[in-house]
Amino acid sequence: MSRVCQLTGTRANNGMAVSHSHIRTKKLQQANLQQRKLWWAEGNKWINIKVTTRALKTIQKKGLGPYAKSLGINLNKI
């Protein structure tokens, strides 16, 4: 599977590593993805999902169902 958040769609960012002598080389800044088993109250089941830590923080605040609904994600298909 690719390194993409299944809720927000966050993926790697292209960046530059800058050395002390200011030599710039390309690098990828990967998203902080975690594999989690989350309880979905509306569907009354557990969901295995790969999400970023930023999305996990928002899930703790809003809840999994309302957050997925605001993003337009159907949790039945995950």
Side-chain angles (χ1 to χ4, degrees), residues 28-72:
L28 278 179
Q29 298 169 341
Q30 295 289 349
N32 189 1
L33 288 175
Q34 307 291 317
Q35 183 73 35
R36 288 288 180 257
K37 187 176 181 181
L38 301 173
W39 177 252
W40 179 32
E42 290 84 3
N44 199 25
K45 64 180 179 177
W46 291 95
I47 293 180
N48 286 319
I49 192 167
K50 192 184 280 191
V51 290
T52 59
T53 52
R54 184 176 183 174
L56 276 175
K57 225 173 150 179
T58 310
I59 289 168
Q60 285 180 343
K61 183 178 178 183
K62 294 182 176 180
L64 180 60
Y67 184 52
K69 189 174 182 182
S70 70
L71 294 172

Side-chain angles (χ1 to χ4, degrees), residues 6 26-27 38 49 72:
Q6 290 179 320
K26 291 183 179 180
K27 73 172 187 174
L38 301 173
I49 192 167

